[in-house]
Amino acid sequence: MNKETDVKNYFRERLIEWYEPGDRPMPWKESKNIYHIWLSEIMLQQTRVDQMLPYFERFVKRFPDVHSLAEAVEDEVLKYWEGLGYYRRARNLHKAAGLIAERAEGDAPQSMKEWMELPGVGPYTAAAITSFAYGQPNAVLDGNVFRVLARFFGLDVPIDTSQGKIVFSKLANRLICQKKPALYNQAIMDFGATVCKPANPLCSSCPLSDQCLARLGNLIAELPLRSRLPNKKKWKITYCHLHDHHNLLLVRRPSEGVWGGLYELPAFSGKREMAKWMRDIFDLKLPGTADPVRIRHELTHRQIEAEVFSVRVKKLKEVKKESCVLVSSKMLPKFALHSLMKKYFAIFTSD
Ligand code: SF4
């Protein structure tokens, strides 16, 4: 056995020895229920386990299997997702459920390739599902795994390049334990989340420390390498909170794009455009003294600066526009609002 193989064996064995399943209870794992595993993997993208658990439980209570999810209307699915963010995940999950339900006998796909043909399922999710549900030796590669591999093996290939993805993917698939792929995948992800953390990794108690190249070479802070830093786009939005004593107007956003399918107040590119809309549709003039509520909000790729004008009228009329709905204030909690809108209504109702 050569040195390279020895190091890989050391890495794999120490990691599996370190891992103690049960430290982090994950109800969907024990059941081997493919729908539960798939749903949990989608919910866990961008969300921590403790945050997603109550959502998972509520979701499976209402949509206990892929068929009940496929038959539901998108608005209801989004409502059950409300608060988890990244709503594209919910829309893709719903679409994918429809596609699975249409398959012969409604069976879930078996291979990674088939899973990746479904909307919202990339290589990471497909590897996780097929290893956890079917025991296939497909290595997961998420931010935690990239970090652990880059540090332990001292890899200085940027992880956000196509070359980096190939290098890391090949290494990850050579390392995976063929006999216990699910256990290994879970171990490496948990290890990255709890020991080899982005900041202040626990090197002094790390079971891999005596062969970790980043630690030996003092490169922990530098690895993993990235070719570029995310540059957030700035986005300015003007909202009009037009309301009377009982009602307000909401608009459903288009299904695709940011906050797709969620509800918000009528939105404009600026105050002038909003004033024209108020004049043309409602014959209203925005008072010169109107003072908006200003909200800053961060999304993964955007930095939003929103201003919200609250305009109270005597009697609000319905607008004949497909995406515009007249909503009674009491019914507002029934609508799936996006995170920025929730921030605004929390401010508005606390005043
Ligand atoms: S020694 Fe430190 S950097 Fe290396 S794998 Fe362990 S926790 Fe990560």
Side-chain angles (χ1 to χ4, degrees):
M1 212 180 282
N2 62 27
K3 188 163 186 311
E4 198 191 319
T5 314
D6 283 350
V7 173
K8 290 197 175 98
N9 287 342
Y10 163 98
F11 178 87
R12 185 186 304 116
E13 283 160 17
R14 292 259 168 130
L15 207 55
I16 289 179
E17 269 169 34
W18 165 84
Y19 182 61
E20 284 183 32
D23 279 1
R24 301 211 288 170
M26 298 187 188
W28 57 90
K29 292 275 163 64
E30 281 92 64
S31 73
K32 295 273 175 216
N33 178 318
I34 297 162
Y35 171 66
H36 288 184
I37 291 173
W38 169 40
L39 172 64
S40 65
E41 287 305 328
I42 300 293
M43 282 188 167
L44 283 171
Q45 294 166 2
Q46 331 275 354
T47 308
R48 291 201 322 268
V49 175
D50 55 330
Q51 283 174 326
M52 73 68 97
L53 264 177
Y55 286 92
F56 176 83
E57 277 156 15
R58 248 186 315 134
F59 201 91
V60 293
K61 212 167 173 193
R62 168 60 190 89
F63 310 110
D65 53 33
V66 73
H67 298 281
S68 52
L69 179 59
E71 282 159 18
V73 291
E74 189 184 275
D75 268 4
E76 195 187 2
V77 177
L78 291 175
K79 188 66 200 158
Y80 274 79
W81 203 270
E82 193 184 47
L84 266 180
Y86 302 95
Y87 293 88
R88 183 188 287 266
R89 295 181 296 176
R91 290 195 304 277
N92 281 336
L93 185 79
H94 184 222
K95 275 188 211 150
L99 293 170
I100 294 177
E102 281 169 15
R103 286 165 62 100
E105 295 170 30
D107 282 348
Q110 295 283 320
S111 68
M112 248 189 101
K113 184 173 170 290
E114 282 178 298
W115 272 103
M116 282 165 64
E117 285 164 6
L118 294 173
V121 181
Y124 164 79
T125 308
I129 297 169
T130 52
S131 68
F132 295 142
Y134 309 128
Q136 294 174 12
N138 298 320
V140 292
L141 204 45
D142 69 350
N144 287 320
V145 180
F146 272 119
R147 185 169 58 257
V148 174
L149 296 184
R151 286 179 177 166
F152 180 82
F153 291 95
L155 293 177
D156 57 1
V157 193
I159 60 171
D160 55 351
T161 58
S162 41
Q163 194 212 351
K165 290 198 172 89
I166 293 169
V167 168
F168 279 88
S169 166
K170 275 191 180 163
L171 175 62
N173 279 303
R174 278 206 297 268
L175 286 166
I176 192 164
C177 174
Q178 298 289 323
K179 286 189 189 144
K180 298 176 183 169
L183 191 74
Y184 171 86
N185 272 342
Q186 197 58 57
I188 193 167
M189 287 192 290
D190 276 24
F191 182 78
T194 60
V195 179
C196 196
K197 301 181 289 180
N200 307 319
L202 311 179
C203 301
S204 53
S205 57
C206 170
L208 304 175
S209 67
D210 53 353
Q211 297 228 23
C212 170
L213 291 183
R215 192 189 67 80
L216 297 172
N218 207 13
L219 291 166
I220 295 170
E222 275 86 78
L223 296 175
L225 273 192
R226 279 190 180 73
S227 64
R228 57 191 145 78
L229 288 172
N231 193 6
K232 291 200 177 188
K233 272 193 201 158
K234 290 211 165 44
W235 188 16
K236 290 194 172 180
I237 318 174
T238 301
Y239 286 107
C240 185
H241 178 193
L242 196 55
H243 56 112
D244 61 19
H245 189 58
H246 299 290
N247 301 308
L248 73 156
L249 276 184
L250 288 183
V251 175
R252 188 176 196 267
R253 289 185 64 86
S255 290
E256 295 306 319
V258 182
W259 295 319
L262 299 184
Y263 286 86
E264 64 179 6
L265 294 167
F268 305 89
S269 57
K271 191 172 159 186
R272 187 182 292 188
E273 192 195 6
M274 183 187 84
K276 181 175 181 315
W277 175 79
M278 285 175 55
R279 196 174 57 240
D280 293 353
I281 313 258
F282 299 95
D283 202 17
L284 281 173
K285 202 165 172 248
L286 182 69
T289 52
D291 203 7
V293 172
R294 295 189 191 279
I295 302 173
R296 288 174 75 90
H297 192 74
E298 301 270 337
L299 296 178
T300 317
H301 302 293
R302 294 176 198 247
Q303 193 178 69
I304 301 173
E305 282 175 21
E307 52 178 9
V308 189
F309 287 90
S310 166
V311 182
R312 179 148 176 186
V313 294
K314 250 192 182 152
K315 177 108 184 82
L316 193 58
K317 68 172 184 179
E318 198 145 353
V319 181
K320 296 274 176 257
K321 206 175 146 206
E322 210 186 297
S323 57
C324 224
V325 280
L326 188 68
V327 172
S328 114
S329 310
K330 280 189 199 142
M331 294 300 286
L332 188 60
K334 301 262 176 223
F335 284 78
L337 302 173
H338 58 67
S339 40
L340 194 158
M341 276 300 104
K342 285 188 175 176
K343 256 188 200 173
Y344 167 70
F345 281 111
I347 297 168
F348 180 75
T349 48
S350 70
D351 278 352

